[in-house]
Amino acid sequence: MANDNKLQNIIGHCKEYGFVFQSSEIYDGLSAVYDYGQLGVELKRNIRDYWWRSMTQMHDNIVGIDAAIFMHPTVWKASGHVDNFSDPMIDNKDSQKRYRVDHLIEGFAETLDKEKGDAMLQQMDQLLAANDFAGIKQLIEDNKISCAISGTCNWTDVRQFNLMFSTEIGSVAEEANVIYLRPETAQGIFVNFLNVQKTGRMKIPFGIAQTGKAFRNEIVARGFIFRMREFEQMEMQFFIKPGTQKEWYEYWKETRMKWHLSLGIGADKYRFHDHVKLAHYADAACDIEYDFPMGFKEVEGIHSRTDFDLKQHQQYSGKKLTYFDTDINQHYVPYVIETSIGLDRTVMMLLSEAYKEEDLSTADKQDNRVVLSFPPMLAPVKLAVLPLTKKDGLPEIARELIDQCKPYFKCFYEEKDSIGKRYRRQDAIGTPFCVTIDHQTKEDQTVTIRYRDSMTQERIALADVKALVMDKIKMF
Ligand code: GAP
């Protein structure tokens, strides 16, 4: 399956089975905004839970918070977002279409052979690192990179555009104040650093984790739920003693990569990408990239943020944000290592990894299936219980099994259509286990359990089903 097709097929599959819908579809949609359907929301929630528990339950020095989306407008002045959170853009004068220059150049580089493409991207990284916008424009013109709509190379100069959405707070227009929809969840953690440290009696090193919505007015939003205007982040700020940032940066790189591998995705599908052009707050930064159908792209960022954020908030709020370290009898502003992963991007990564079109044809029969082979712990539905017929007491046994299991994990009941068709529908939504209740069940209290990935079946005791599924969906 060509990768372009794969992405289109995943998008179609997500819509057909209730994972992801275009926002406001009946009004022709809203660009780069998506809604999660009945299965997508379960998948997303399971990923969020796994991340949350990996951070706050498996580390006794990490706690969570849930800060508001609206924050005092000065937060964004202090954080640098008002002045620096912008991307260099270029407009095509004929189509009026605006592009982020890095996306425009990356798209073109992908059409070249690998060596030429890599050289071009290296040149782009250097020019961006030097803020050399004239040089970037020259690179675009020299390579005759054209607009996909007009087909021309009639470009404006490269300019910066801020990505924050603003709105107004206050009931009467005169009192209204401009506030921003947060472009990252991290600042909610920084401004609560002392609240948490003091009330939780936290000792450095410690972390604060948060998941929640973030908003960015992405100019070029493409790639399905890869780049959205409203999305969800899962971020953790780890507060450390100044001078220890290098070792903690390495620790979190390694720890986060282990988490990614624990999703059952092979090491060959991931790579680190070190940043050449560092964000205004960082002294080291890298991305964990996954090999999406459209190539290796960022899923998570790991940033050594120094004491930039806390110092800025100290300065702008006039409040001290220092920590007293009893080990060395000193006050200091802690340094921070941040891990920041996009939840929607992780959903897309898991969909890309799980989606398979399998040809099961034999000499005398054409057959195929689409299967989503999610890790069982993340699958939206864990167990489907299927009575062979609608009568003879089989549905009752099936319902009893579901009643026994549903307090522990999500189950699904279905009695319509042939067993084969029902299995295929469960494969298509990624249910790892199907149990069939048949007439033999009434005689010897056994059932057939069918495994999604291997499609093998075995006979087990009805009484063992719950324990078997519980064991396979364990997170830790
Ligand atoms: N606090 C640091 C921060 O926000 P970032 O690299 O801008 O860093 C972190 O974003 C992660 O958030 C990215 O690795 C990506 O997974 C996700 N993300 C960023 N912009 C996104 C967008 N427009 N749509 C979906 N996910 C996005």
Side-chain angles (χ1 to χ4, degrees), residues 111-124:
T111 66
L112 303 176
D113 69 49
K114 187 162 170 12
E115 205 177 314
K116 279 196 185 141
D118 286 349
M120 177 176 278
L121 292 181
Q122 206 181 348
Q123 196 182 349
M124 174 187 83

Side-chain angles (χ1 to χ4, degrees), residues 71 82 166 242 270 301 361 372 393 450:
M71 300 184 76
V82 171
S166 61
Y270 289 113
S361 303
L372 293 178
R450 183 228 187 223

Side-chain angles (χ1 to χ4, degrees), residues 8 61-62 97 153 180 208 219 232 268 270 287 291 293 337 360 365 403 475:
Q8 287 316 312
N61 59 350
I62 300 182
K97 177 107 179 115
C153 304
Y180 298 100
I208 305 179
I219 302 301
E232 203 166 327
D268 58 320
Y270 289 113
D287 300 330
D291 191 6
I337 305 296
L360 307 172
K365 196 172 154 226
D403 285 346
M475 286 188 172

Side-chain angles (χ1 to χ4, degrees), residues 85 183-186 216 218 225-233 235 237 275 281 287 298-301 303 305 338 340-346:
F85 193 56
E184 60 171 16
T185 59
R216 294 182 190 179
E218 300 282 3
I225 53 173
F226 180 83
R227 183 164 284 109
M228 301 153 88
R229 297 203 163 102
E230 173 181 340
F231 57 99
E232 203 166 327
Q233 289 186 314
E235 299 201 296
Q237 312 296 324
H275 288 198
Y281 50 73
D287 300 330
E298 170 187 353
V299 192
E300 172 155 7
H303 312 124
R305 289 183 83 125
E338 166 181 76
S340 174
I341 178 168
L343 177 51
D344 311 272
R345 248 178 228 189
T346 312

Side-chain angles (χ1 to χ4, degrees), residues 32 35-36 70 114 132 169 183 220 224 265 314 361 419-420 433:
D35 299 337
Y36 285 85
F70 290 148
K114 187 162 170 12
D132 183 353
I169 199 163
V220 183
F224 191 39
I265 300 175
Q314 233 182 203
S361 303
I419 282 290
F433 310 105

Side-chain angles (χ1 to χ4, degrees), residues 300-342:
E300 172 155 7
I302 297 157
H303 312 124
S304 175
R305 289 183 83 125
T306 68
D307 54 3
F308 174 85
D309 302 88
L310 289 179
K311 278 213 168 130
Q312 288 290 104
H313 288 307
Q314 233 182 203
Q315 188 191 328
Y316 277 78
S317 68
K319 309 275 165 24
K320 262 197 159 180
L321 293 175
T322 53
Y323 170 81
F324 183 68
D325 193 329
T326 48
D327 293 344
I328 52 170
N329 270 338
Q330 260 180 33
H331 288 275
Y332 55 77
V333 176
Y335 268 46
V336 172
I337 305 296
E338 166 181 76
T339 72
S340 174
I341 178 168

